[in-house]
Amino acid sequence: MSKNRFLRNIAIAATGTAGAQAITMAFSPIITRLYGPEIFGIVGSFLAVIAVLTPMVALTYPIAIILPEDDDDARGLAKLSMLITIISSALAGLIINHFNERILSLFGINELNGYLMLLPLAMLFAGFHQIVEQWVIRKKSYRMGAKVAIVQSLIINSSKAGFGLIYSTATPLIILSTFSSLLYGAMLAFGINLENKISKAPTNRKKIGLLALAKKFKDFPIFRAPEVTLNAASQGLAVLMLAAFFGPASAGFYTLGRTVLAMPAALLGKSIGDVFYPRLAEATHKNEDITKLVMQATKGLALVGIVPFGLVIAFGPWLFSLVFGSEWQTSGDYARWLSVWLFFGFINTPSIKALPVINAQFFLLFSSTLMLVARAAALALGYYYFNSDIIAVIAFSISGALLNLLLILITIKLCKNRYQSNVSARPKPSNLTD
């Protein structure tokens, strides 16, 4: 690891995430005893709405910040992203202000009455978070990111526990969820001294205007933004549909199970993804074959993920009852089945990062659309035909697992085809000699 910069960067990024997750796990038994399943269900519904709206806030242009070879273009993308974020957040505020009641009744989220006006703020803060984070990844400032992740987790979780002792309702959890992105982004920008980090001596190179950059990377708003939104909707759909079909407690059980199982993905999946994405971009600029990179990273994640997810599959109900309290045993039943889906969601990280690099974001959009339809059908099947929340979660998880496996296999095939096509397109050396 000391000789391999790629592995060293992953280790640094994972250390910060591991510290943040350790803090979250340490506070979780306290927080789950202060706030019951119904409160977790309300907060989960709010987070599900945020998850659907935030990918569209900057039209996923922040993800493109990694790709340009020149920092001027990347800086322009950051400015473009911030401008779009401000405009879209303001529009969301106007829409919510005028149609608050209609939105609540249309989507069956009446339990969020009084909280909707926090959504534009959450969108604005999330957009800022995305921009700063992608610049940090571009500059490979993983050490600073690790430190900020730990400090932010400590502040947020201790605040949740502190408020729970005096005011154990959904309000403090929702407010903290709204401002957590602002806290993370602000600390990150301050910690790396962002203005100095992105400044450089003037060059003779003509800068590309914001409109030209928007056109150059137009596949992100056209394909990636809808894909990320659909993917978030298909995951948040479970919270909203379980709340509507079986009540907020069921949504709370799902929220806790999903949160706990997301930790391996946050620990290694995100860390590897953050380091792997610029590595893929570099390899593509050099016309390297990225097929082996994707396959090796996928196999590595599979070997790592089989242990934590396997433990939850085997002992989920007992573990959740022991750690979080007896009232959360049902959450362990959910988690047992969610582990099947989330394992394949964990190992598909290299594929997700590879698709925009090989300009295959249309396939990603199609995959997310299919995923949304399949998951909605699975949840509806569990309710209308079996009237069972467990069966609904089982069908939801199995459909997600199969579609994620299919995505991985197709992505590897696309990477291989792209490289072979590039090799075939190269001019053949002449056999003539002087």
Side-chain angles (χ1 to χ4, degrees), residues 135-432:
W135 186 269
V136 169
I137 294 172
R138 177 181 176 84
K139 289 301 180 181
K140 299 181 174 62
S141 300
Y142 303 113
R143 195 177 302 278
M144 179 58 64
K147 294 177 181 178
V148 169
I150 293 173
V151 174
Q152 190 247 21
S153 178
L154 180 60
I155 294 173
I156 294 297
N157 283 288
S158 60
S159 299
K160 289 179 180 179
F163 280 114
L165 293 173
I166 58 176
Y167 194 63
S168 56
T169 67
T171 300
L173 294 182
I174 288 177
I175 292 175
L176 288 170
S177 298
T178 300
F179 285 88
S180 62
S181 290
L182 175 63
L183 176 64
Y184 183 87
M187 287 195 302
L188 204 55
F190 178 79
I192 63 170
N193 196 356
L194 188 61
E195 291 183 356
N196 293 334
K197 199 72 175 179
I198 65 176
S199 64
K200 67 173 189 176
T203 64
N204 294 325
R205 179 182 178 275
K206 185 178 180 181
K207 295 182 179 180
I208 302 178
L210 297 186
L211 183 59
L213 284 170
K215 291 180 179 179
K216 182 178 181 180
F217 295 94
K218 63 183 178 180
D219 57 324
F220 281 86
I222 293 175
F223 298 122
R224 191 59 183 273
E227 180 277 322
V228 176
T229 301
L230 287 172
N231 185 50
S234 67
Q235 297 190 41
L237 189 71
V239 178
L240 300 177
M241 291 185 71
L242 286 171
F245 291 159
F246 305 104
S250 181
F253 292 138
Y254 174 89
T255 299
L256 179 63
R258 174 72 176 82
T259 301
V260 171
L261 291 173
M263 289 182 180
L267 173 59
L268 266 184
K270 185 179 184 302
S271 301
I272 289 178
D274 289 347
V275 180
F276 195 62
Y277 188 26
R279 173 68 184 92
L280 287 174
E282 292 174 3
T284 304
H285 291 321
K286 298 175 182 178
N287 293 320
E288 296 178 12
D289 184 6
I290 65 172
T291 308
K292 291 182 179 179
L293 290 174
V294 174
M295 292 177 64
Q296 289 172 353
T298 302
K299 291 176 182 177
L301 285 174
L303 290 173
V304 172
I306 196 68
V307 175
F309 289 110
L311 286 174
V312 175
I313 291 173
F315 307 108
W318 177 77
L319 286 172
F320 274 67
S321 179
L322 175 67
V323 176
F324 304 112
S326 58
E327 63 179 336
W328 292 98
Q329 181 174 342
T330 302
S331 185
D333 289 322
Y334 284 16
R336 167 175 281 169
W337 292 101
L338 291 175
S339 294
V340 179
W341 153 49
L342 290 171
F343 170 75
F344 287 98
F346 175 65
I347 68 173
N348 80 353
T349 301
S351 298
I352 296 295
K353 296 298 182 181
L355 288 171
V357 174
I358 63 173
N359 297 318
Q361 299 199 89
F362 175 76
F363 165 66
L364 196 55
L365 173 60
F366 173 78
S367 174
S368 293
T369 304
L370 182 61
M371 189 84 73
L372 177 63
V373 174
R375 287 172 169 171
L379 291 169
L381 176 71
Y383 175 69
Y384 289 109
Y385 285 90
F386 298 97
N387 194 29
S388 169
D389 55 332
I390 293 293
I391 293 180
V393 171
I394 292 173
F396 174 87
S397 300
I398 292 177
S399 64
L402 292 175
L403 290 174
N404 273 310
L405 176 60
L406 185 62
L407 182 145
I408 293 170
L409 296 175
I410 293 178
T411 300
I412 292 172
K413 180 66 175 176
L414 290 173
C415 290
K416 186 178 298 183
N417 290 345
R418 177 182 173 83
Y419 178 70
Q420 292 175 347
S421 176
N422 288 341
V423 170
S424 300
R426 293 175 188 171
K428 296 181 179 179
S430 174
N431 292 325
L432 297 177

Side-chain angles (χ1 to χ4, degrees), residues 95-116:
I95 293 172
I96 292 174
N97 185 54
H98 285 84
F99 302 102
N100 193 340
E101 298 297 330
R102 293 185 182 179
I103 293 173
L104 290 171
S105 59
L106 177 64
F107 294 99
I109 50 176
N110 292 310
E111 66 271 14
L112 297 183
N113 188 23
Y115 300 121
L116 281 191

Side-chain angles (χ1 to χ4, degrees), residues 13-37:
T15 298
T17 307
Q21 295 301 335
I23 293 170
T24 299
M25 284 301 297
F27 277 95
S28 291
I30 302 172
I31 293 172
T32 53
R33 286 168 171 82
L34 293 172
Y35 305 93

